[in-house]
C-alpha cells in the first residue's frame, strides 16, 4: 500500500512538472500572461483535479459535481493546462492562449471554456461567488463541495472579508478556500505594501478552521484535502505556502516578473530548468 | 411600491421554490410574512452589499433565483462591479430591487438618494431596467422579472406611492404606456414622479395646452417607437425623471430621437448634474429640486416657446 502511494505521488509530481513546463510554454508562445502567479499554484491544481475534486469532462453540468473556482483568475494558464490534461478541453487549444480567436483568454470565461465554473479576473469576486454556490448546496442538501483558490494579495480586497464573515455565519463546512500564500503582489512583497499577516489568526478570528501546508508538497496537500472539512459547521481555510515563479530560478520570489516576459537568454535558462526544448 | 414588490415576491416564492429573498440589513416588518413562510429562503447579509451580489450570482449559478433587495444607491453603486462582473458578465439570473428611487428618502440626504442608478444600470450588457410608476405596476414588474431569464433591475419608491392606473392594464416589457393623450407636447416620464407629470398635465389643460403623458416603465429595452411617434406628432418632447438628466430617461430619449432624425423641441427635467438640495418632506425636496408639478408646467411652457429653426 505504501508502495502504491509512493507511486501515486511520484506520478503526480511528474504531472506537476509537465504542467509547469506547459504553462511556461503556452504563455511565452501565446499572447503573454502571468507566469509566476501560475507557477505557484501548479501542485495545488494537480492534486485537486487528480485526487480531490469530484468532477470530470462528463459531469461538468452535473448539479452534484464539486465546484472549483479560481478566484485569482490571472493564474488561469495553470488551470487551462490542467483542464487540457484532464480532458475538459482540447490540448491543442493551449497553443492558442491569449491569441486572436482563442477561447483561452488571459482571464477564464465560464461561458466559453468547459470546466470553468466562474469568470474571474477582478480580484475579490470568485470567493464570494463560491460562497453562493456553497450556500445553494446547503439549501438543497447536496453533497458537493466548493473549493476556491485565492491569492494572498487578493486578501487586501474588502469583499474577501465580507464573504469570510458571511461564510462562517452560514456555517458553510462544504466550502474550502485555499490561499496561495506566495507573499508577493504585482509591485512588491505584501509586507512592503500592505501586510496581511497574521493571516491564519485573521481567518480564525473570522470563524474559519485554518490549516497550513507547503503548497508544493503533493503528499502534504493530499493529506489536508482528505481531512476536509476541518471542523463541522465551519468553513475551511488552507494557507498554502508557495513560491511565486516556482521552477524558474530567476523568477522565484522576484516581484518584477509578475507580468513580464523573459528575453531570449532568460528563456533558454528557464527552458533548461523546466526540462523542455528551447522555445 | 415596496409593499407591492414584497407581496409579489411572496407569491412568486409560493409558485417557485428557487425564488429567494436577499436583503442587506433591511426589510424589518415588511418581510415578516415572507420570513415566517419561507425562513430558509430569506437571507440577511448584514451591511455588506457587495457580498450580497456576488453570493447571489453564485446562488444563481446553482439554479436559484435570488431577488436582492436594498437601498438603491447602495445596491447600484457599492456593488456596481459585482453587478457588472458577477451578474451581467456571467449572465446570472439575479434580480436587483433598489428601494428609495430618486430622492424619496428626502431628508436622509444625497447618500441615500438614487439619482444616477438608471444611468449606470442601463449601461450594463444584458440588464433589463424597470422603473415602476405605481404599486400595481411594481407588482406586474416583479412578476415579469421572474419570467425573464437574466439580470433585472427594479427601481422602487418606498411606501405610500399613489396608484395611477384605474383598473387593470396590459403590462408589456419595453412598451411605454400612453397615460394621457394630447397634441401640443409630450411629457415622457418614468417612476414615482409620474404623479407630478399627471398633475402638470391637468394644470396645462386648464391653460388650454393639451399634452400627452407617456409612462416609460421599462428604461431598457426602451420603447423607441412611442418616443419617436410622440416627437413626430407633437414636435415638443419634455422628459421628466427623478434622476440626473445625465444618462437617464432624458438621455435615452434624446439618443433615439437624434438617431431617428426627428425634428423636435426637446427639454429634460431632472437634476441638472447636481446632488439633490434641501431637506423636509418628499414633496419639499421635489420642490427644492425643480421637480414639482409647477416646475413641469413652467418648463413645458418654456419648451413650447422655443422656436425651431426652419
Amino acid at each position: 500500500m505504501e508502495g502504491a502511494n509512493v507511486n501515486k505521488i511520484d506520478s503526480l509530481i511528474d504531472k506537476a512538472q509537465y504542467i509547469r513546463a506547459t504553462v511556461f510554454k503556452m504563455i511565452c508562445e501565446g499572447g503573454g500572461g502571468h507566469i509566476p502567479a501560475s507557477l505557484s499554484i501548479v501542485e495545488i491544481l494537480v492534486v485537486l483535479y487528480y485526487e480531490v475534486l469530484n468532477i470530470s469532462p462528463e459531469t461538468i453540468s452535473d448539479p452534484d459535481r464539486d465546484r472549483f473556482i479560481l478566484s485569482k483568475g490571472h493564474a488561469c494558464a495553470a488551470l487551462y493546462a490542467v483542464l487540457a490534461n484532464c480532458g475538459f478541453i482540447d490540448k491543442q487549444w493551449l497553443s492558442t492562449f491569449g491569441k486572436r480567436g482563442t477561447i483561452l483568454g488571459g482571464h477564464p470565461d465560464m461561458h466559453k471554456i468547459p470546466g470553468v465554473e466562474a469568470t474571474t479576473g477582478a480580484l475579490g469576486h470568485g470567493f464570494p461567488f463560491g460562497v453562493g454556490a456553497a450556500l445553494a448546496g446547503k439549501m438543497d442538501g447536496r453533497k458537493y463541495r466548493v473549493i476556491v483558490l485565492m491569492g494572498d494579495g487578493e486578501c487586501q480586497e474588502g469583499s474577501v472579508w465580507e464573504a469570510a464573515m458571511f461564510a462562517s455565519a452560514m456555517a458553510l463546512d462544504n466550502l474550502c478556500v485555499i490561499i496561495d500564500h506566495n507573499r508577493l503582489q504585482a509591485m512588491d512583497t505584501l509586507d512592503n505594501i500592505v501586510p496581511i499577516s497574521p493571516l491564519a489568526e485573521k481567518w480564525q478570528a473570522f470563524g474559519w478552521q485554518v490549516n497550513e501546508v507547503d503548497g508544493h508538497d503533493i503528499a502534504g496537500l493530499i493529506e489536508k484535502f482528505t481531512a476536509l472539512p476541518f471542523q463541522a459547521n465551519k468553513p475551511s481555510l488552507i494557507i498554502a505556502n508557495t513560491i511565486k515563479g516556482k521552477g524558474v530560478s530567476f523568477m522565484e520570489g522576484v516581484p518584477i516578473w509578475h507580468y513580464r516576459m523573459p528575453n531570449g537568454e532568460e528563456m533558454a535558462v528557464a527552458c533548461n530548468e523546466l526540462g523542455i526544448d528551447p522555445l | 411600491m415596496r409593499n407591492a414588490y414584497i407581496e409579489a415576491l411572496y407569491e412568486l416564492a409560493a409558485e417557485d421554490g428557487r425564488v429567494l429573498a436577499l436583503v442587506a440589513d433591511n426589510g424589518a416588518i415588511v418581510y415578516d410574512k415572507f420570513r415566517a413562510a419561507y425562513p430558509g429562503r430569506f437571507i440577511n447579509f448584514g451591511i455588506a452589499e457587495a457580498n450580497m451580489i456576488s453570493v447571489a450570482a453564485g446562488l444563481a449559478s446553482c439554479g436559484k433565483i435570488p431577488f436582492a433587495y436594498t437601498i438603491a444607491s447602495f445596491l447600484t453603486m457599492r456593488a456596481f462591479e459585482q453587478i457588472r462582473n458577477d451578474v451581467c458578465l456571467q449572465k446570472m439570473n439575479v434580480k436587483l430591487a433598489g428601494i428609495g428611487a430618486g430622492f424619496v428618502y428626502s431628508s436622509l440626504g444625497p447618500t441615500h438618494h438614487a439619482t444616477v442608478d438608471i444611468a449606470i444600470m442601463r449601461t450594463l450588457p444584458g440588464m433589463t431596467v424597470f422603473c415602476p410608476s405605481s404599486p400595481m405596476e411594481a407588482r406586474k414588474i416583479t412578476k415579469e422579472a421572474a419570467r425573464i431569464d437574466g439580470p433585472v433591475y427594479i427601481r422602487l419608491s418606498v411606501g405610500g406611492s399613489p396608484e395611477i392606473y384605474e383598473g387593470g392594464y396590459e403590462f408589456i416589457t419595453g412598451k411605454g404606456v400612453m397615460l394621457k393623450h394630447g397634441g401640443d407636447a409630450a411629457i415622457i416620464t418614468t417612476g414615482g414622479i409620474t404623479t407630478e407629470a399627471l398633475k402638470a398635465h391637468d394644470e396645462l389643460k386648464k391653460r388650454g395646452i393639451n399634452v400627452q403623458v407617456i409612462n416609460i416603465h421599462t428604461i431598457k429595452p426602451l420603447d423607441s417607437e412611442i418616443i419617436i411617434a410622440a416627437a413626430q406628432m407633437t414636435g415638443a418632447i419634455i422628459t421628466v425623471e427623478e434622476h440626473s438628466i445625465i444618462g437617464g430617461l432624458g438621455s435615452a430619449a434624446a439618443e433615439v430621437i437624434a438617431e431617428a432624425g426627428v425634428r423636435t423641441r426637446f427639454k429634460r427635467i431632472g437634476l441638472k448634474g447636481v446632488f439633490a438640495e434641501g431637506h423636509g418632506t418628499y414633496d419639499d425636496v421635489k420642490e427644492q429640486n425643480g421637480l414639482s408639478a409647477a416646475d413641469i408646467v413652467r418648463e413645458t411652457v418654456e419648451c413650447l416657446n422655443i422656436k425651431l429653426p426652419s
Side-chain angles (χ1 to χ4, degrees):
Chain A
M1 187 60 202
E2 200 175 286
N5 255 335
V6 169
N7 283 345
K8 180 175 84 181
I9 286 164
D10 281 348
S11 150
L12 292 175
I13 290 170
D14 287 348
K15 284 192 172 71
Q17 187 54 26
Y18 174 76
I19 298 292
R20 185 161 268 122
T22 305
V23 165
F24 184 80
K25 207 172 157 188
M26 64 190 273
I27 297 178
C28 291
E29 290 183 338
H34 295 84
I35 300 173
S38 304
L39 294 181
S40 72
I41 63 168
V42 168
E43 282 79 9
I44 297 167
L45 291 187
V46 164
V47 168
L48 283 174
Y49 276 86
Y50 284 96
E51 287 295 320
V52 178
L53 296 170
N54 172 29
I55 39 174
S56 69
E58 293 73 39
T59 60
I60 53 171
S61 303
D62 186 334
D64 290 315
R65 73 192 183 280
D66 285 342
R67 272 82 168 164
F68 170 73
I69 293 166
L70 183 66
S71 200
K72 47 171 291 185
H74 59 286
C76 57
L79 179 61
Y80 299 161
V82 170
L83 287 176
N85 234 23
C86 293
F88 290 85
I89 59 174
D90 192 329
K91 274 188 185 177
Q92 290 183 342
W93 291 353
L94 295 179
S95 62
T96 68
F97 176 70
K99 293 177 183 166
R100 182 171 175 159
T102 191
I103 59 162
L104 305 179
H107 291 107
D109 185 331
M110 68 179 292
H111 290 295
K112 293 190 177 139
I113 309 168
V116 169
E117 295 282 359
T119 300
T120 50
L123 297 174
H125 287 255
F127 167 36
F129 185 90
V131 171
L135 181 57
K138 284 284 182 193
M139 284 177 169
D140 293 343
R142 293 191 186 275
K143 295 275 182 265
Y144 67 77
R145 294 173 298 179
V146 177
I147 300 202
V148 176
L149 177 53
M150 221 170 40
D152 51 4
E154 189 171 359
C155 293
Q156 291 167 340
E157 291 280 5
S159 60
V160 166
W161 301 101
E162 287 187 11
M165 253 187 283
F166 180 75
S168 64
M170 296 288 118
L172 298 178
D173 58 9
N174 57 345
L175 173 69
C176 169
V177 169
I178 309 149
I179 295 183
D180 173 23
H181 193 22
N182 60 36
R183 297 166 198 275
L184 296 184
Q185 54 191 111
M187 299 295 291
D188 201 344
T189 63
L190 271 73
D191 280 346
N192 282 342
I193 297 174
V194 175
I196 53 159
S197 59
L199 199 51
E201 288 84 342
K202 278 197 176 77
W203 284 85
Q204 277 158 0
F206 276 74
W208 288 59
Q209 196 64 30
V210 181
N211 257 295
E212 286 202 46
V213 67
D214 174 347
H216 301 300
D217 174 11
I218 300 264
L221 284 164
I222 292 174
E223 192 193 316
K224 292 291 181 254
F225 287 126
T226 308
L228 290 175
F230 298 144
Q231 192 178 319
N233 300 319
K234 271 186 160 189
S236 302
L237 185 88
I238 298 175
I239 297 176
N241 293 302
T242 56
I243 297 166
K244 191 164 171 178
K246 171 79 171 171
V248 178
S249 59
F250 58 87
M251 289 188 183
E252 289 188 358
V254 182
I256 194 69
W257 287 100
H258 179 73
Y259 193 68
R260 183 166 156 181
M261 287 297 111
N263 63 26
E265 211 173 298
E266 292 158 343
M267 197 88 85
V269 172
C271 288
N272 183 44
E273 290 177 359
L274 293 167
I276 51 173
D277 293 335
L279 302 177
Chain B
M1 253 185 239
R2 176 190 57 189
N3 294 347
Y5 164 82
I6 294 171
E7 186 61 29
L9 185 60
Y10 176 81
E11 291 169 16
L12 286 168
E15 293 158 16
D16 189 336
R18 299 171 299 168
V19 169
L20 307 175
L22 277 47
V23 303
D25 198 31
N26 31 36
I29 304 168
V30 289
Y31 271 101
D32 279 355
K33 188 170 149 193
F34 191 105
R35 268 188 295 196
Y38 309 106
R41 289 158 65 189
F42 174 88
I43 308 163
N44 188 346
F45 285 76
I47 309 159
E49 296 79 9
N51 185 54
M52 174 168 74
I53 300 307
S54 291
V55 172
L59 286 163
S61 79
C62 297
K64 302 294 181 191
I65 308 176
F67 279 69
Y69 167 100
T70 190
I71 293 175
S73 69
F74 310 156
L75 177 68
T76 58
M77 295 187 290
R78 177 70 65 96
F80 183 74
E81 197 195 38
Q82 282 73 20
I83 296 172
R84 176 184 182 270
N85 291 0
D86 303 338
V87 176
C88 293
L89 180 60
Q90 307 198 73
K91 304 184 176 110
M92 289 297 151
N93 194 18
V94 173
K95 317 304 170 190
L96 309 166
I99 49 164
F103 26 78
V104 68
Y105 281 128
S106 60
S107 261
L108 296 183
T111 58
H112 282 58
H113 297 160
T115 53
V116 296
D117 56 321
I118 295 175
I120 61 181
M121 287 295 105
R122 81 182 182 98
T123 64
L124 290 168
M127 179 69 78
T128 299
V129 179
F130 289 126
C131 300
S133 299
S134 79
M136 189 197 294
E137 200 157 80
R139 176 184 172 77
K140 287 174 186 279
I141 282 172
T142 306
K143 294 287 182 96
E144 179 66 10
R147 281 189 285 270
I148 294 171
D149 182 17
V152 174
Y153 175 59
I154 308 171
R155 184 186 206 239
L156 298 166
S157 289
V158 184
S161 325
E163 185 51 62
I164 61 165
Y165 293 102
E166 294 159 15
Y169 76 106
E170 191 191 5
F171 175 89
I172 303 169
T173 294
K175 285 284 162 211
V177 182
M178 183 77 78
L179 296 173
K180 299 286 178 190
H181 292 272
D184 295 330
I187 295 176
I188 296 174
T189 187
T190 191
I193 204 72
T194 300
T195 53
E196 297 298 322
L198 289 169
K199 284 184 215 162
H201 162 274
D202 295 348
E203 178 59 30
L204 286 161
K205 197 169 189 178
K206 286 182 204 158
R207 302 186 191 184
I209 301 168
N210 292 308
V211 298
Q212 295 178 9
V213 178
I214 298 169
N215 169 26
I216 300 291
H217 51 61
T218 314
I219 300 288
K220 188 184 172 192
L222 186 66
D223 187 352
S224 49
E225 267 177 37
I226 200 169
I227 294 170
I228 291 165
Q232 284 169 334
M233 184 190 169
T234 67
I237 297 290
I238 297 97
T239 62
V240 178
E241 60 198 306
E242 200 177 327
H243 185 274
S244 171
I245 58 167
I246 300 171
L249 173 67
S251 295
E255 288 159 14
V256 300
I257 289 169
E259 285 187 343
V262 181
R263 189 169 173 273
T264 182
R265 286 159 289 187
F266 187 81
K267 185 113 186 164
R268 290 171 296 159
I269 304 178
L271 288 177
K272 294 178 171 52
V274 295
F275 293 106
E277 286 290 334
H279 296 288
T281 64
Y282 180 33
D283 282 340
D284 291 335
V285 177
K286 278 189 218 168
E287 282 175 24
Q288 292 168 90
N289 290 281
L291 271 155
S292 67
D295 295 307
I296 299 168
V297 167
R298 192 189 66 249
E299 297 225 36
T300 301
V301 171
E302 279 174 23
C303 182
L304 285 168
N305 287 335
I306 296 170
K307 285 214 164 46
L308 281 179
S310 51

